[in-house]
Amino acid sequence: MSDAVLAPLGQVVACRDCDGVQCVPDQPWGGNFSCFRCGGVLVQRRHRDLDFFLAVTLGLAVLFFLAASQTFLTIDVHGTSQDCTMYSGVLALADAGFIGLAGLVGFTLFGAPCARIIGLLYVLVPLRAGRLAPRTAEVFRWVQKLGPWAMLDVLVLAVIVAAVKLGELASIELGPGMAAFLGLVVLWTVSRDRLDPTWVFEAVAPTVSGVGPGRTACAVCGQGVALDGGDVQKCSRCGGRVHARKPDSLARTTALVAGAALLYVPANFYPILNFETLGVSGPQTILSSVGILFASGMWPIASILFFASILVPLLKLVGLSTLIAVVRRGSGRPVEATRMFRLIDYIGRWSMIDVLVLALLVSLVQMGSVATITPGIGATCFGAVVVLTILGAQSFDPRLIWDTRRKA
């Protein structure tokens, strides 16, 4: 979901979803102010406690190290046991020759979370000492951008699904790494939902108000930027590129949606994994995995997997295609279309559940002739669908919905 516009109280800002210009009234910290036109959260005021958030970030660093270095899960199949850590799935996928899939899992579970934690420490530790580190705003801009790609919370559901899938085959024990991981997810949620980005950016430089003809606001830090007759400028505070509208938004979104639609068929047709036990093997597609869970009476888990792995990608493809058609035709209801965009943008990352489940299963079930799970080509296609749909939502500019309405 799009972040709220960042601006001090009492300033004139433009909504990032509909470009509606409005003045933010005085209000207590912790409150929200909604856009008068599209209903989105325009300004979100969160609490500011430097000592608290620095302690949370240090806790994140410690718990992430413990979660990644200690035993995550242990599986026992007919007296043969296998341990796995958080990174075992990445190594197992790479060993099986699925380098792209291993890179995707590694980035979402290690690359993005680690970069965000390190970036927060780089910003908050000097602030606590009353100083600013070099390029603080630029680093914090990347901290904000990497947030949606860090999928530690998605891994929680993936662990539950993997445990249920293996429940009849083996006994599973939680390791000390799992306890650290659950604490990590709690602190991660606190850091993500309670830290006020405005606070950090205003520590670097005061927000310059002013939106309207020839001026717009940086999508990351909210700084007012004069476009000076051009379509792109560099933000004076965070260094990001500022556009009046996302460049080639419709063309890029259309290309990404088309690519995802082409891969959606093989992602569901080809096996996502191959399971072999005691010499008997059988491939499983995403749909057959859901069917097995339903047949076993595990309706809640089967429903989650069906929704996240089959329904969500399809809804994103249909939804983004609908938004493209709305902009091209200049028709439709802009408020409803904007709400659809926010929903698509929010739910897309949860489709990663199946990819993370696969990574866990491949790392846990490597026991030779007793039991072995290997990834299938459908997993690569499905991972590509997830990435392309996320990028498609990020490349779409919802303000175009309202631009066509004004032209009409």
Side-chain angles (χ1 to χ4, degrees):
M1 183 178 294
S2 300
D3 290 331
V5 173
L6 306 177
L9 298 179
Q11 290 199 1
V12 176
V13 298
C15 177
R16 284 178 55 183
D17 288 344
C18 72
D19 211 28
V21 177
Q22 49 222 285
C23 181
V24 180
D26 290 335
Q27 59 182 5
W29 294 105
N32 296 333
F33 180 71
S34 298
C35 174
F36 75 94
R37 184 157 64 171
C38 70
V41 177
L42 184 66
V43 173
Q44 196 170 36
R45 293 300 173 186
R46 301 169 182 171
H47 298 291
R48 300 179 172 188
D49 188 333
L50 179 56
D51 290 336
F52 173 76
F53 286 112
L54 181 56
V56 168
T57 307
L58 290 171
L60 285 173
V62 172
L63 289 175
F64 190 91
F65 173 78
L66 293 175
S69 61
Q70 301 297 313
T71 301
F72 202 61
L73 294 170
T74 300
I75 183 175
D76 187 280
V77 181
H78 304 301
T80 302
S81 63
Q82 177 82 35
D83 296 335
C84 84
T85 60
M86 275 184 66
Y87 58 81
S88 295
V90 178
L91 299 179
L93 290 172
D95 289 341
F98 288 73
I99 305 300
L101 209 57
L104 175 60
V105 174
F107 176 68
T108 56
L109 293 187
F110 296 94
C114 279
R116 188 176 188 277
I117 292 171
I118 293 171
L120 284 173
L121 288 174
Y122 179 85
V123 170
L124 295 179
V125 171
L127 276 179
R128 180 63 182 83
R131 298 191 298 271
L132 290 177
R135 298 185 177 274
T136 293
E138 288 90 335
V139 172
F140 196 64
R141 169 166 60 90
W142 283 105
V143 167
Q144 296 295 97
K145 283 181 170 292
L146 286 172
W149 291 96
M151 301 189 184
L152 298 176
D153 47 354
V154 181
L155 182 59
V156 174
L157 283 180
V159 169
I160 296 173
V161 173
V164 170
K165 279 192 171 187
L166 295 174
E168 296 183 358
L169 171 70
S171 61
I172 299 176
E173 295 182 2
L174 305 181
M178 178 60 71
F181 172 73
L182 294 176
L184 171 66
V185 172
V186 172
L187 289 186
W188 185 271
T189 304
V190 172
S191 173
R192 181 192 62 196
D193 295 344
R194 303 306 299 167
L195 177 62
D196 189 352
T198 314
W199 173 31
V200 177
F201 285 121
E202 289 183 6
V204 178
T207 298
V208 175
S209 180
V211 293
R215 292 186 65 85
T216 189
C218 175
V220 179
C221 74
Q223 182 76 305
V225 178
L227 295 178
D228 296 327
D231 271 345
V232 57
Q233 291 291 336
K234 185 176 181 180
C235 177
S236 61
R237 182 160 63 179
C238 72
R241 290 165 63 87
V242 180
H243 305 273
R245 294 292 182 269
K246 293 181 181 179
D248 302 319
S249 174
L250 281 188
R252 290 189 295 127
T253 304
T254 301
L256 290 166
V257 169
L262 290 174
L263 289 169
Y264 183 77
V265 176
N268 287 276
F269 178 78
Y270 288 107
I272 193 173
L273 62 86
N274 297 287
F275 178 70
E276 182 176 346
T277 177
L278 300 177
V280 179
S281 62
Q284 289 186 14
T285 63
I286 296 175
L287 192 57
S288 67
S289 297
V290 173
I292 291 172
L293 290 172
F294 270 117
S296 301
M298 301 172 185
W299 293 75
I301 300 299
S303 299
I304 291 173
L305 200 59
F306 176 78
F307 179 77
S309 301
I310 296 177
L311 209 54
V312 166
L314 182 60
L315 289 175
K316 288 195 72 174
L317 291 174
V318 173
L320 286 172
S321 299
T322 301
L323 292 175
I324 292 170
V326 166
V327 174
R328 291 193 182 280
R329 296 175 183 175
S331 60
R333 299 177 178 178
V335 174
E336 286 75 6
T338 305
R339 289 173 180 168
M340 180 190 296
F341 166 75
R342 294 193 195 106
L343 178 62
I344 291 171
D345 196 28
Y346 176 75
I347 65 176
R349 59 198 298 274
W350 291 95
S351 296
M352 272 292 293
I353 288 178
D354 235 335
V355 177
L356 299 181
V357 168
L358 175 66
L360 289 170
L361 295 179
V362 171
S363 63
L364 278 169
V365 189
Q366 295 293 325
M367 301 176 181
S369 60
V370 177
T372 301
I373 292 179
T374 55
I377 188 63
T380 299
C381 296
F382 183 76
V385 170
V386 174
V387 172
L388 290 177
T389 52
I390 292 176
L391 292 176
Q394 291 181 348
S395 65
F396 182 79
D397 194 333
R399 294 172 296 182
L400 296 175
I401 299 170
W402 298 84
D403 288 346
T404 55
R405 182 170 181 256
R406 280 194 289 267
K407 290 177 182 178

